[in-house]
C-alpha cells in the first residue's frame, strides 16, 4: 500500500545481512510468500486463456499457503504498528 506522500508504514525490515524480510515471517517464508503471490498474479492473468486447466488443486493449495503466510505477517505487522504507536505517544 502506498500513497502520494510516500509515507505508508513499512511492512519489511532489513535483517542483519541486509535482506528485506516481511515483518513476522522468516527469510524463507518471505521468499515463499512473494513466490506464491507472483504465481497467483500470473494465474489470474492467464485464467481467461486456460479456464479448465488441471492445476485447480495446486492453485487452491498455493492460495491456502499464501493465506497462512499473509495472516501470520498481518498479525505481526498489526502488533508491530500498535507497539510503534505506544512508543511514539507521550
Amino acid at each position: 500500500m502506498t500513497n502520494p506522500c510516500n509515507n505508508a508504514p513499512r511492512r519489511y525490515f532489513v535483517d542483519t545481512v541486509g535482506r528485506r524480510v516481511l515483518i513476522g515471517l522468516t527469510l524463507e517464508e518471505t521468499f515463499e510468500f512473494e513466490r506464491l503471490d507472483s504465481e497467483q498474479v500470473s494465474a489470474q492473468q492467464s485464467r481467461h486463456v486456460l479456464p479448465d486447466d488441471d492445476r485447480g488443486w495446486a492453485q487452491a493449495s498455493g492460495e491456502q499457503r499464501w493465506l497462512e503466510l499473509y495472516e501470520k505477517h498481518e498479525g505481526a505487522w498489526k502488533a508491530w504498528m500498535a507497539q510503534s504507536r505506544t512508543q511514539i505517544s507521550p
Side-chain angles (χ1 to χ4, degrees):
M1 172 196 312
T2 61
N3 65 30
C5 298
N6 198 26
N7 61 359
R10 299 177 318 155
R11 287 193 172 246
Y12 289 86
F13 69 91
V14 178
D15 71 4
T16 57
V17 186
R19 298 172 294 204
R20 290 178 0 127
V21 181
L22 280 163
I23 293 171
L25 300 183
T26 65
L27 177 63
E28 293 78 13
E29 289 171 330
T30 297
F31 178 77
E32 181 182 9
F33 176 83
E34 291 175 339
R35 179 184 56 79
L36 290 168
D37 195 54
S38 176
E39 288 174 0
Q40 284 185 1
V41 169
S42 296
Q44 288 174 353
Q45 291 173 348
S46 66
R47 246 182 220 156
H48 66 280
V49 177
L50 300 170
D52 294 322
D53 66 7
D54 60 350
R55 298 178 314 168
W57 183 84
Q59 287 177 347
S61 175
E63 290 173 8
Q64 179 62 37
R65 179 63 176 151
W66 179 92
L67 185 58
E68 291 169 5
L69 292 170
Y70 179 80
E71 289 174 345
K72 181 178 179 183
H73 160 65
E74 184 73 5
W77 184 76
K78 285 180 180 180
W80 180 81
M81 286 297 293
Q83 181 182 11
S84 297
R85 285 188 197 109
T86 60
Q87 291 175 351
I88 294 172
S89 299

PDB file of all heavy atoms in Angstrom, residues 50-83:
ATOM      1  N   LEU A  50      -6.778 -20.260 -20.179  1.00  0.00           N
ATOM      2  CA  LEU A  50      -6.908 -21.686 -19.870  1.00  0.00           C
ATOM      3  C   LEU A  50      -7.863 -21.887 -18.702  1.00  0.00           C
ATOM      4  O   LEU A  50      -7.453 -22.215 -17.592  1.00  0.00           O
ATOM      5  CB  LEU A  50      -5.537 -22.287 -19.524  1.00  0.00           C
ATOM      6  CG  LEU A  50      -4.474 -22.209 -20.609  1.00  0.00           C
ATOM      7  CD1 LEU A  50      -3.126 -22.621 -20.046  1.00  0.00           C
ATOM      8  CD2 LEU A  50      -4.856 -23.084 -21.793  1.00  0.00           C
ATOM      9  N   PRO A  51      -9.152 -21.726 -18.910  1.00  0.00           N
ATOM     10  CA  PRO A  51     -10.080 -21.813 -17.790  1.00  0.00           C
ATOM     11  C   PRO A  51     -10.223 -23.197 -17.185  1.00  0.00           C
ATOM     12  O   PRO A  51     -10.549 -23.338 -16.035  1.00  0.00           O
ATOM     13  CB  PRO A  51     -11.405 -21.354 -18.399  1.00  0.00           C
ATOM     14  CG  PRO A  51     -11.268 -21.658 -19.851  1.00  0.00           C
ATOM     15  CD  PRO A  51      -9.815 -21.492 -20.169  1.00  0.00           C
ATOM     16  N   ASP A  52      -9.964 -24.265 -17.947  1.00  0.00           N
ATOM     17  CA  ASP A  52     -10.177 -25.626 -17.456  1.00  0.00           C
ATOM     18  C   ASP A  52      -8.868 -26.385 -17.289  1.00  0.00           C
ATOM     19  O   ASP A  52      -8.788 -27.568 -17.583  1.00  0.00           O
ATOM     20  CB  ASP A  52     -11.090 -26.389 -18.422  1.00  0.00           C
ATOM     21  CG  ASP A  52     -12.489 -25.798 -18.433  1.00  0.00           C
ATOM     22  OD1 ASP A  52     -12.973 -25.392 -17.367  1.00  0.00           O
ATOM     23  OD2 ASP A  52     -13.062 -25.738 -19.523  1.00  0.00           O
ATOM     24  N   ASP A  53      -7.838 -25.710 -16.796  1.00  0.00           N
ATOM     25  CA  ASP A  53      -6.584 -26.445 -16.621  1.00  0.00           C
ATOM     26  C   ASP A  53      -6.697 -27.387 -15.429  1.00  0.00           C
ATOM     27  O   ASP A  53      -7.602 -27.294 -14.618  1.00  0.00           O
ATOM     28  CB  ASP A  53      -5.391 -25.491 -16.478  1.00  0.00           C
ATOM     29  CG  ASP A  53      -5.428 -24.656 -15.227  1.00  0.00           C
ATOM     30  OD1 ASP A  53      -6.304 -24.886 -14.373  1.00  0.00           O
ATOM     31  OD2 ASP A  53      -4.585 -23.770 -15.085  1.00  0.00           O
ATOM     32  N   ASP A  54      -5.767 -28.336 -15.335  1.00  0.00           N
ATOM     33  CA  ASP A  54      -5.831 -29.348 -14.291  1.00  0.00           C
ATOM     34  C   ASP A  54      -5.023 -28.953 -13.059  1.00  0.00           C
ATOM     35  O   ASP A  54      -4.692 -29.784 -12.238  1.00  0.00           O
ATOM     36  CB  ASP A  54      -5.356 -30.699 -14.822  1.00  0.00           C
ATOM     37  CG  ASP A  54      -3.920 -30.667 -15.316  1.00  0.00           C
ATOM     38  OD1 ASP A  54      -3.350 -29.553 -15.414  1.00  0.00           O
ATOM     39  OD2 ASP A  54      -3.380 -31.743 -15.604  1.00  0.00           O
ATOM     40  N   ARG A  55      -4.726 -27.679 -12.900  1.00  0.00           N
ATOM     41  CA  ARG A  55      -3.959 -27.223 -11.753  1.00  0.00           C
ATOM     42  C   ARG A  55      -4.848 -26.666 -10.658  1.00  0.00           C
ATOM     43  O   ARG A  55      -4.375 -26.022  -9.746  1.00  0.00           O
ATOM     44  CB  ARG A  55      -2.956 -26.152 -12.173  1.00  0.00           C
ATOM     45  CG  ARG A  55      -1.935 -26.677 -13.176  1.00  0.00           C
ATOM     46  CD  ARG A  55      -0.997 -25.598 -13.604  1.00  0.00           C
ATOM     47  NE  ARG A  55      -1.733 -24.382 -13.924  1.00  0.00           N
ATOM     48  CZ  ARG A  55      -1.160 -23.202 -14.110  1.00  0.00           C
ATOM     49  NH1 ARG A  55       0.112 -23.067 -14.020  1.00  0.00           N
ATOM     50  NH2 ARG A  55      -1.901 -22.142 -14.407  1.00  0.00           N
ATOM     51  N   GLY A  56      -6.125 -26.901 -10.709  1.00  0.00           N
ATOM     52  CA  GLY A  56      -7.045 -26.336  -9.730  1.00  0.00           C
ATOM     53  C   GLY A  56      -6.668 -26.652  -8.302  1.00  0.00           C
ATOM     54  O   GLY A  56      -6.665 -25.780  -7.443  1.00  0.00           O
ATOM     55  N   TRP A  57      -6.325 -27.907  -8.025  1.00  0.00           N
ATOM     56  CA  TRP A  57      -5.965 -28.288  -6.665  1.00  0.00           C
ATOM     57  C   TRP A  57      -4.672 -27.611  -6.241  1.00  0.00           C
ATOM     58  O   TRP A  57      -4.575 -27.089  -5.137  1.00  0.00           O
ATOM     59  CB  TRP A  57      -5.811 -29.802  -6.565  1.00  0.00           C
ATOM     60  CG  TRP A  57      -5.511 -30.214  -5.153  1.00  0.00           C
ATOM     61  CD1 TRP A  57      -6.415 -30.422  -4.165  1.00  0.00           C
ATOM     62  CD2 TRP A  57      -4.222 -30.418  -4.565  1.00  0.00           C
ATOM     63  NE1 TRP A  57      -5.773 -30.744  -2.995  1.00  0.00           N
ATOM     64  CE2 TRP A  57      -4.428 -30.759  -3.220  1.00  0.00           C
ATOM     65  CE3 TRP A  57      -2.932 -30.350  -5.045  1.00  0.00           C
ATOM     66  CZ2 TRP A  57      -3.372 -31.031  -2.350  1.00  0.00           C
ATOM     67  CZ3 TRP A  57      -1.888 -30.620  -4.187  1.00  0.00           C
ATOM     68  CH2 TRP A  57      -2.114 -30.959  -2.856  1.00  0.00           C
ATOM     69  N   ALA A  58      -3.683 -27.592  -7.125  1.00  0.00           N
ATOM     70  CA  ALA A  58      -2.399 -26.970  -6.798  1.00  0.00           C
ATOM     71  C   ALA A  58      -2.589 -25.476  -6.550  1.00  0.00           C
ATOM     72  O   ALA A  58      -2.002 -24.914  -5.625  1.00  0.00           O
ATOM     73  CB  ALA A  58      -1.389 -27.202  -7.911  1.00  0.00           C
ATOM     74  N   GLN A  59      -3.418 -24.833  -7.341  1.00  0.00           N
ATOM     75  CA  GLN A  59      -3.663 -23.413  -7.138  1.00  0.00           C
ATOM     76  C   GLN A  59      -4.358 -23.191  -5.803  1.00  0.00           C
ATOM     77  O   GLN A  59      -4.012 -22.284  -5.061  1.00  0.00           O
ATOM     78  CB  GLN A  59      -4.485 -22.841  -8.285  1.00  0.00           C
ATOM     79  CG  GLN A  59      -3.682 -22.705  -9.561  1.00  0.00           C
ATOM     80  CD  GLN A  59      -4.526 -22.200 -10.715  1.00  0.00           C
ATOM     81  OE1 GLN A  59      -5.747 -22.177 -10.639  1.00  0.00           O
ATOM     82  NE2 GLN A  59      -3.876 -21.823 -11.777  1.00  0.00           N
ATOM     83  N   ALA A  60      -5.333 -24.016  -5.498  1.00  0.00           N
ATOM     84  CA  ALA A  60      -6.035 -23.873  -4.223  1.00  0.00           C
ATOM     85  C   ALA A  60      -5.067 -24.102  -3.069  1.00  0.00           C
ATOM     86  O   ALA A  60      -5.109 -23.399  -2.059  1.00  0.00           O
ATOM     87  CB  ALA A  60      -7.205 -24.845  -4.151  1.00  0.00           C
ATOM     88  N   SER A  61      -4.174 -25.073  -3.205  1.00  0.00           N
ATOM     89  CA  SER A  61      -3.187 -25.357  -2.172  1.00  0.00           C
ATOM     90  C   SER A  61      -2.250 -24.164  -2.012  1.00  0.00           C
ATOM     91  O   SER A  61      -1.949 -23.754  -0.893  1.00  0.00           O
ATOM     92  CB  SER A  61      -2.399 -26.611  -2.547  1.00  0.00           C
ATOM     93  OG  SER A  61      -1.378 -26.838  -1.619  1.00  0.00           O
ATOM     94  N   GLY A  62      -1.785 -23.612  -3.125  1.00  0.00           N
ATOM     95  CA  GLY A  62      -0.914 -22.438  -3.081  1.00  0.00           C
ATOM     96  C   GLY A  62      -1.618 -21.243  -2.476  1.00  0.00           C
ATOM     97  O   GLY A  62      -1.032 -20.474  -1.710  1.00  0.00           O
ATOM     98  N   GLU A  63      -2.881 -21.090  -2.807  1.00  0.00           N
ATOM     99  CA  GLU A  63      -3.652 -19.981  -2.244  1.00  0.00           C
ATOM    100  C   GLU A  63      -3.819 -20.145  -0.740  1.00  0.00           C
ATOM    101  O   GLU A  63      -3.759 -19.169   0.011  1.00  0.00           O
ATOM    102  CB  GLU A  63      -5.012 -19.874  -2.931  1.00  0.00           C
ATOM    103  CG  GLU A  63      -4.908 -19.387  -4.360  1.00  0.00           C
ATOM    104  CD  GLU A  63      -6.224 -19.439  -5.108  1.00  0.00           C
ATOM    105  OE1 GLU A  63      -7.276 -19.721  -4.491  1.00  0.00           O
ATOM    106  OE2 GLU A  63      -6.205 -19.200  -6.321  1.00  0.00           O
ATOM    107  N   GLN A  64      -4.012 -21.382  -0.294  1.00  0.00           N
ATOM    108  CA  GLN A  64      -4.149 -21.645   1.141  1.00  0.00           C
ATOM    109  C   GLN A  64      -2.853 -21.302   1.867  1.00  0.00           C
ATOM    110  O   GLN A  64      -2.876 -20.661   2.920  1.00  0.00           O
ATOM    111  CB  GLN A  64      -4.534 -23.106   1.396  1.00  0.00           C
ATOM    112  CG  GLN A  64      -4.676 -23.438   2.861  1.00  0.00           C
ATOM    113  CD  GLN A  64      -5.777 -22.631   3.549  1.00  0.00           C
ATOM    114  OE1 GLN A  64      -6.824 -22.363   2.974  1.00  0.00           O
ATOM    115  NE2 GLN A  64      -5.531 -22.237   4.782  1.00  0.00           N
ATOM    116  N   ARG A  65      -1.725 -21.707   1.317  1.00  0.00           N
ATOM    117  CA  ARG A  65      -0.429 -21.407   1.942  1.00  0.00           C
ATOM    118  C   ARG A  65      -0.173 -19.905   1.933  1.00  0.00           C
ATOM    119  O   ARG A  65       0.322 -19.345   2.921  1.00  0.00           O
ATOM    120  CB  ARG A  65       0.694 -22.163   1.220  1.00  0.00           C
ATOM    121  CG  ARG A  65       2.060 -21.888   1.780  1.00  0.00           C
ATOM    122  CD  ARG A  65       2.197 -22.339   3.220  1.00  0.00           C
ATOM    123  NE  ARG A  65       3.558 -22.128   3.676  1.00  0.00           N
ATOM    124  CZ  ARG A  65       3.892 -21.887   4.925  1.00  0.00           C
ATOM    125  NH1 ARG A  65       2.990 -21.886   5.877  1.00  0.00           N
ATOM    126  NH2 ARG A  65       5.142 -21.680   5.249  1.00  0.00           N
ATOM    127  N   TRP A  66      -0.519 -19.224   0.825  1.00  0.00           N
ATOM    128  CA  TRP A  66      -0.367 -17.775   0.739  1.00  0.00           C
ATOM    129  C   TRP A  66      -1.165 -17.113   1.861  1.00  0.00           C
ATOM    130  O   TRP A  66      -0.673 -16.214   2.534  1.00  0.00           O
ATOM    131  CB  TRP A  66      -0.837 -17.276  -0.633  1.00  0.00           C
ATOM    132  CG  TRP A  66      -0.742 -15.791  -0.788  1.00  0.00           C
ATOM    133  CD1 TRP A  66       0.317 -15.092  -1.302  1.00  0.00           C
ATOM    134  CD2 TRP A  66      -1.731 -14.817  -0.420  1.00  0.00           C
ATOM    135  NE1 TRP A  66       0.037 -13.747  -1.269  1.00  0.00           N
ATOM    136  CE2 TRP A  66      -1.208 -13.547  -0.738  1.00  0.00           C
ATOM    137  CE3 TRP A  66      -2.996 -14.900   0.135  1.00  0.00           C
ATOM    138  CZ2 TRP A  66      -1.916 -12.376  -0.509  1.00  0.00           C
ATOM    139  CZ3 TRP A  66      -3.698 -13.722   0.370  1.00  0.00           C
ATOM    140  CH2 TRP A  66      -3.160 -12.480   0.042  1.00  0.00           C
ATOM    141  N   LEU A  67      -2.409 -17.589   2.053  1.00  0.00           N
ATOM    142  CA  LEU A  67      -3.272 -17.022   3.085  1.00  0.00           C
ATOM    143  C   LEU A  67      -2.686 -17.247   4.479  1.00  0.00           C
ATOM    144  O   LEU A  67      -2.708 -16.349   5.326  1.00  0.00           O
ATOM    145  CB  LEU A  67      -4.677 -17.613   2.995  1.00  0.00           C
ATOM    146  CG  LEU A  67      -5.722 -17.024   3.941  1.00  0.00           C
ATOM    147  CD1 LEU A  67      -5.882 -15.531   3.727  1.00  0.00           C
ATOM    148  CD2 LEU A  67      -7.054 -17.732   3.741  1.00  0.00           C
ATOM    149  N   GLU A  68      -2.127 -18.424   4.735  1.00  0.00           N
ATOM    150  CA  GLU A  68      -1.493 -18.704   6.026  1.00  0.00           C
ATOM    151  C   GLU A  68      -0.340 -17.735   6.291  1.00  0.00           C
ATOM    152  O   GLU A  68      -0.229 -17.170   7.385  1.00  0.00           O
ATOM    153  CB  GLU A  68      -0.962 -20.140   6.057  1.00  0.00           C
ATOM    154  CG  GLU A  68      -2.028 -21.212   6.084  1.00  0.00           C
ATOM    155  CD  GLU A  68      -1.454 -22.601   5.858  1.00  0.00           C
ATOM    156  OE1 GLU A  68      -0.206 -22.751   5.779  1.00  0.00           O
ATOM    157  OE2 GLU A  68      -2.252 -23.543   5.757  1.00  0.00           O
ATOM    158  N   LEU A  69       0.500 -17.543   5.285  1.00  0.00           N
ATOM    159  CA  LEU A  69       1.635 -16.640   5.443  1.00  0.00           C
ATOM    160  C   LEU A  69       1.170 -15.193   5.587  1.00  0.00           C
ATOM    161  O   LEU A  69       1.708 -14.433   6.396  1.00  0.00           O
ATOM    162  CB  LEU A  69       2.599 -16.778   4.254  1.00  0.00           C
ATOM    163  CG  LEU A  69       3.325 -18.111   4.168  1.00  0.00           C
ATOM    164  CD1 LEU A  69       4.055 -18.243   2.830  1.00  0.00           C
ATOM    165  CD2 LEU A  69       4.298 -18.275   5.331  1.00  0.00           C
ATOM    166  N   TYR A  70       0.153 -14.827   4.811  1.00  0.00           N
ATOM    167  CA  TYR A  70      -0.373 -13.465   4.899  1.00  0.00           C
ATOM    168  C   TYR A  70      -0.934 -13.193   6.295  1.00  0.00           C
ATOM    169  O   TYR A  70      -0.658 -12.148   6.888  1.00  0.00           O
ATOM    170  CB  TYR A  70      -1.451 -13.225   3.847  1.00  0.00           C
ATOM    171  CG  TYR A  70      -2.025 -11.834   3.946  1.00  0.00           C
ATOM    172  CD1 TYR A  70      -1.357 -10.753   3.397  1.00  0.00           C
ATOM    173  CD2 TYR A  70      -3.208 -11.596   4.648  1.00  0.00           C
ATOM    174  CE1 TYR A  70      -1.852  -9.465   3.514  1.00  0.00           C
ATOM    175  CE2 TYR A  70      -3.713 -10.312   4.781  1.00  0.00           C
ATOM    176  CZ  TYR A  70      -3.030  -9.252   4.209  1.00  0.00           C
ATOM    177  OH  TYR A  70      -3.526  -7.982   4.348  1.00  0.00           O
ATOM    178  N   GLU A  71      -1.706 -14.126   6.828  1.00  0.00           N
ATOM    179  CA  GLU A  71      -2.285 -13.940   8.160  1.00  0.00           C
ATOM    180  C   GLU A  71      -1.201 -13.849   9.229  1.00  0.00           C
ATOM    181  O   GLU A  71      -1.307 -13.052  10.169  1.00  0.00           O
ATOM    182  CB  GLU A  71      -3.270 -15.064   8.468  1.00  0.00           C
ATOM    183  CG  GLU A  71      -4.551 -14.955   7.655  1.00  0.00           C
ATOM    184  CD  GLU A  71      -5.495 -16.135   7.838  1.00  0.00           C
ATOM    185  OE1 GLU A  71      -5.065 -17.186   8.376  1.00  0.00           O
ATOM    186  OE2 GLU A  71      -6.656 -16.009   7.412  1.00  0.00           O
ATOM    187  N   LYS A  72      -0.159 -14.644   9.092  1.00  0.00           N
ATOM    188  CA  LYS A  72       0.951 -14.586  10.045  1.00  0.00           C
ATOM    189  C   LYS A  72       1.630 -13.221   9.973  1.00  0.00           C
ATOM    190  O   LYS A  72       1.891 -12.587  11.008  1.00  0.00           O
ATOM    191  CB  LYS A  72       1.961 -15.705   9.745  1.00  0.00           C
ATOM    192  CG  LYS A  72       3.131 -15.749  10.693  1.00  0.00           C
ATOM    193  CD  LYS A  72       4.053 -16.914  10.372  1.00  0.00           C
ATOM    194  CE  LYS A  72       5.245 -16.934  11.321  1.00  0.00           C
ATOM    195  NZ  LYS A  72       6.178 -18.014  10.983  1.00  0.00           N
ATOM    196  N   HIS A  73       1.890 -12.755   8.763  1.00  0.00           N
ATOM    197  CA  HIS A  73       2.515 -11.448   8.577  1.00  0.00           C
ATOM    198  C   HIS A  73       1.605 -10.327   9.069  1.00  0.00           C
ATOM    199  O   HIS A  73       2.038  -9.421   9.786  1.00  0.00           O
ATOM    200  CB  HIS A  73       2.863 -11.226   7.103  1.00  0.00           C
ATOM    201  CG  HIS A  73       3.066  -9.800   6.743  1.00  0.00           C
ATOM    202  ND1 HIS A  73       4.099  -9.044   7.253  1.00  0.00           N
ATOM    203  CD2 HIS A  73       2.341  -8.978   5.948  1.00  0.00           C
ATOM    204  CE1 HIS A  73       4.007  -7.809   6.769  1.00  0.00           C
ATOM    205  NE2 HIS A  73       2.947  -7.749   5.988  1.00  0.00           N
ATOM    206  N   GLU A  74       0.334 -10.376   8.690  1.00  0.00           N
ATOM    207  CA  GLU A  74      -0.612  -9.320   9.053  1.00  0.00           C
ATOM    208  C   GLU A  74      -0.746  -9.185  10.570  1.00  0.00           C
ATOM    209  O   GLU A  74      -0.754  -8.077  11.109  1.00  0.00           O
ATOM    210  CB  GLU A  74      -1.978  -9.600   8.419  1.00  0.00           C
ATOM    211  CG  GLU A  74      -3.004  -8.527   8.658  1.00  0.00           C
ATOM    212  CD  GLU A  74      -2.779  -7.258   7.873  1.00  0.00           C
ATOM    213  OE1 GLU A  74      -1.850  -7.199   7.034  1.00  0.00           O
ATOM    214  OE2 GLU A  74      -3.531  -6.302   8.105  1.00  0.00           O
ATOM    215  N   GLY A  75      -0.832 -10.312  11.277  1.00  0.00           N
ATOM    216  CA  GLY A  75      -0.920 -10.269  12.734  1.00  0.00           C
ATOM    217  C   GLY A  75       0.317  -9.647  13.366  1.00  0.00           C
ATOM    218  O   GLY A  75       0.220  -8.807  14.269  1.00  0.00           O
ATOM    219  N   ALA A  76       1.487 -10.038  12.891  1.00  0.00           N
ATOM    220  CA  ALA A  76       2.732  -9.487  13.421  1.00  0.00           C
ATOM    221  C   ALA A  76       2.861  -8.007  13.069  1.00  0.00           C
ATOM    222  O   ALA A  76       3.325  -7.205  13.888  1.00  0.00           O
ATOM    223  CB  ALA A  76       3.925 -10.263  12.877  1.00  0.00           C
ATOM    224  N   TRP A  77       2.435  -7.645  11.878  1.00  0.00           N
ATOM    225  CA  TRP A  77       2.527  -6.247  11.457  1.00  0.00           C
ATOM    226  C   TRP A  77       1.607  -5.365  12.303  1.00  0.00           C
ATOM    227  O   TRP A  77       1.997  -4.279  12.727  1.00  0.00           O
ATOM    228  CB  TRP A  77       2.184  -6.118   9.972  1.00  0.00           C
ATOM    229  CG  TRP A  77       2.350  -4.726   9.453  1.00  0.00           C
ATOM    230  CD1 TRP A  77       3.526  -4.099   9.151  1.00  0.00           C
ATOM    231  CD2 TRP A  77       1.312  -3.787   9.177  1.00  0.00           C
ATOM    232  NE1 TRP A  77       3.269  -2.830   8.714  1.00  0.00           N
ATOM    233  CE2 TRP A  77       1.920  -2.610   8.716  1.00  0.00           C
ATOM    234  CE3 TRP A  77      -0.075  -3.836   9.290  1.00  0.00           C
ATOM    235  CZ2 TRP A  77       1.192  -1.492   8.351  1.00  0.00           C
ATOM    236  CZ3 TRP A  77      -0.802  -2.720   8.919  1.00  0.00           C
ATOM    237  CH2 TRP A  77      -0.166  -1.563   8.460  1.00  0.00           C
ATOM    238  N   LYS A  78       0.385  -5.839  12.558  1.00  0.00           N
ATOM    239  CA  LYS A  78      -0.547  -5.071  13.404  1.00  0.00           C
ATOM    240  C   LYS A  78       0.022  -4.899  14.811  1.00  0.00           C
ATOM    241  O   LYS A  78      -0.072  -3.815  15.401  1.00  0.00           O
ATOM    242  CB  LYS A  78      -1.913  -5.746  13.451  1.00  0.00           C
ATOM    243  CG  LYS A  78      -2.703  -5.568  12.175  1.00  0.00           C
ATOM    244  CD  LYS A  78      -4.041  -6.258  12.271  1.00  0.00           C
ATOM    245  CE  LYS A  78      -4.829  -6.079  10.983  1.00  0.00           C
ATOM    246  NZ  LYS A  78      -6.136  -6.738  11.051  1.00  0.00           N
ATOM    247  N   ALA A  79       0.618  -5.949  15.355  1.00  0.00           N
ATOM    248  CA  ALA A  79       1.228  -5.857  16.694  1.00  0.00           C
ATOM    249  C   ALA A  79       2.388  -4.870  16.669  1.00  0.00           C
ATOM    250  O   ALA A  79       2.560  -4.061  17.591  1.00  0.00           O
ATOM    251  CB  ALA A  79       1.694  -7.237  17.157  1.00  0.00           C
ATOM    252  N   TRP A  80       3.190  -4.918  15.621  1.00  0.00           N
ATOM    253  CA  TRP A  80       4.326  -4.012  15.477  1.00  0.00           C
ATOM    254  C   TRP A  80       3.848  -2.565  15.378  1.00  0.00           C
ATOM    255  O   TRP A  80       4.415  -1.665  16.005  1.00  0.00           O
ATOM    256  CB  TRP A  80       5.143  -4.413  14.249  1.00  0.00           C
ATOM    257  CG  TRP A  80       6.345  -3.548  14.009  1.00  0.00           C
ATOM    258  CD1 TRP A  80       7.555  -3.640  14.629  1.00  0.00           C
ATOM    259  CD2 TRP A  80       6.443  -2.471  13.080  1.00  0.00           C
ATOM    260  NE1 TRP A  80       8.401  -2.678  14.132  1.00  0.00           N
ATOM    261  CE2 TRP A  80       7.741  -1.951  13.182  1.00  0.00           C
ATOM    262  CE3 TRP A  80       5.556  -1.903  12.165  1.00  0.00           C
ATOM    263  CZ2 TRP A  80       8.185  -0.889  12.401  1.00  0.00           C
ATOM    264  CZ3 TRP A  80       5.991  -0.848  11.395  1.00  0.00           C
ATOM    265  CH2 TRP A  80       7.291  -0.342  11.518  1.00  0.00           C
ATOM    266  N   MET A  81       2.777  -2.332  14.606  1.00  0.00           N
ATOM    267  CA  MET A  81       2.224  -0.979  14.464  1.00  0.00           C
ATOM    268  C   MET A  81       1.689  -0.476  15.812  1.00  0.00           C
ATOM    269  O   MET A  81       1.914   0.669  16.184  1.00  0.00           O
ATOM    270  CB  MET A  81       1.115  -0.949  13.414  1.00  0.00           C
ATOM    271  CG  MET A  81       1.629  -1.049  11.990  1.00  0.00           C
ATOM    272  SD  MET A  81       2.677   0.339  11.517  1.00  0.00           S
ATOM    273  CE  MET A  81       1.465   1.656  11.526  1.00  0.00           C
ATOM    274  N   ALA A  82       0.977  -1.329  16.538  1.00  0.00           N
ATOM    275  CA  ALA A  82       0.451  -0.939  17.852  1.00  0.00           C
ATOM    276  C   ALA A  82       1.580  -0.586  18.805  1.00  0.00           C
ATOM    277  O   ALA A  82       1.507   0.412  19.529  1.00  0.00           O
ATOM    278  CB  ALA A  82      -0.417  -2.064  18.420  1.00  0.00           C
ATOM    279  N   GLN A  83       2.631  -1.386  18.796  1.00  0.00           N
ATOM    280  CA  GLN A  83       3.781  -1.125  19.656  1.00  0.00           C
ATOM    281  C   GLN A  83       4.457   0.172  19.251  1.00  0.00           C
ATOM    282  O   GLN A  83       4.854   0.972  20.100  1.00  0.00           O
ATOM    283  CB  GLN A  83       4.760  -2.281  19.592  1.00  0.00           C
ATOM    284  CG  GLN A  83       5.974  -2.099  20.483  1.00  0.00           C
ATOM    285  CD  GLN A  83       6.947  -3.257  20.361  1.00  0.00           C
ATOM    286  OE1 GLN A  83       6.834  -4.100  19.479  1.00  0.00           O
ATOM    287  NE2 GLN A  83       7.919  -3.288  21.258  1.00  0.00           N
TER     288      GLN A  83
END
